[in-house]
Amino acid sequence: MSVPTKTHAAQYLGLLLLPLLVACGSTPTAPTASPAPSPAARSLTIAPVPAGLAPYNRDDWKLWDDADGDCQDTRAEVLIEESLMPVLFRDPRPCVVDTGRWVDPYTNQTVTVAGDLDIDHLVPLANAYRSGGWRWTPLEKERYANDLSYPLHLIAVTASANRSKGDQGPESWRPPNTAFWCRYATAWIHVKQTWALTATQPEWQALEAMSASCAT
């Protein structure tokens, strides 16, 4: 499994402008390709949440790492890479991001204060747990929680949008910004394919419905 790298920004901005390419048959060891809406390529294993699954424990998913030891943890890396202007830091040492300019794709709201943003896992940790992540080792959970290799795996969004979403899948929560539905659904499928996660039938039906916006 690859270690998170600083390849976020250019890919992220490109994904807001270009279609996404969904990679099929991938495993949690190689999060690489950028997805695009391709109906023929879209497939997930459909399965219910296992009965008797132990409760999700967020403490099992270590947040946030500083993989390259530069004092900027995963949250800071995302904020730096997704800001549309150079960020300013809270202190002379460039560790904690203070201000910048971000556009939350969920709401299309512009934010300039980093403290007003959460870093959202597009496929929430609890959802990943229920759809296969319960099998993962602590290291695999940590890598999923901090993965920077795919631009839409982690997204800077308003705290209110993130908390409204919670751990819900697209069958019960969708971004208020309908213009983002195509990329949201395609990216959701990509993340689940990459990490060999399943989807429930209602979740898949919601993804297909949202994907209809890709043709408009």
Side-chain angles (χ1 to χ4, degrees), residues 54-137:
Y56 160 76
N57 184 355
R58 188 178 179 87
D59 291 341
D60 293 339
W61 306 66
K62 183 181 176 184
L63 297 171
W64 299 105
D65 284 348
D66 178 11
D68 53 10
D70 64 353
C71 91
Q72 295 166 0
D73 63 13
T74 305
R75 172 182 168 84
E77 298 277 11
V78 174
L79 291 171
I80 292 166
E81 298 295 353
E82 294 185 1
S83 178
L84 301 180
M85 61 180 288
V87 302
L88 296 178
F89 296 90
R90 188 173 300 170
D91 303 302
R93 192 164 180 241
C95 300
V96 179
V97 177
D98 191 27
T99 60
R101 185 172 182 271
W102 300 269
V103 177
D104 169 9
Y106 291 175
T107 63
N108 206 33
Q109 180 179 343
T110 299
V111 177
T112 58
V113 178
D116 293 337
L117 295 167
D118 283 351
I119 304 303
D120 181 54
H121 293 83
L122 187 121
V123 176
L125 299 179
N127 187 290
Y129 171 76
R130 294 191 297 265
S131 56
W134 57 270
R135 301 187 185 92
W136 293 347
T137 66

Side-chain angles (χ1 to χ4, degrees), residues 129-200:
Y129 171 76
R130 294 191 297 265
S131 56
W134 57 270
R135 301 187 185 92
W136 293 347
T137 66
L139 181 58
E140 287 173 318
K141 290 176 181 177
E142 181 179 351
R143 285 177 172 168
Y144 180 89
N146 295 275
D147 183 23
L148 294 172
S149 66
Y150 173 57
L152 292 179
H153 184 90
L154 293 170
I155 311 176
V157 301
T158 61
S160 59
N162 186 39
R163 291 159 199 182
S164 170
K165 175 185 173 184
D167 67 352
Q168 299 175 87
E171 70 277 16
S172 52
W173 188 91
R174 303 178 188 185
N177 177 20
T178 58
F180 190 62
W181 281 12
C182 171
R183 289 171 176 80
Y184 187 83
T186 308
W188 185 284
I189 293 167
H190 174 74
V191 170
K192 288 215 159 181
Q193 286 181 330
T194 299
W195 292 85
L197 298 172
T198 61
T200 65

Side-chain angles (χ1 to χ4, degrees), residues 1 18 37 45 47 50 54 94 121 158-159 165 168 170 212 214 216:
M1 191 178 297
L18 299 172
T45 299
H121 293 83
T158 61
K165 175 185 173 184
Q168 299 175 87
C214 295
T216 61

Side-chain angles (χ1 to χ4, degrees), residues 15-60:
L15 285 168
L16 296 179
L17 301 173
L18 299 172
L20 305 167
L21 170 65
V22 172
C24 293
S26 54
T27 69
T29 60
T32 53
S34 299
S38 173
R42 286 200 186 108
S43 63
L44 290 175
T45 299
I46 307 303
V49 176
L53 195 62
Y56 160 76
N57 184 355
R58 188 178 179 87
D59 291 341
D60 293 339

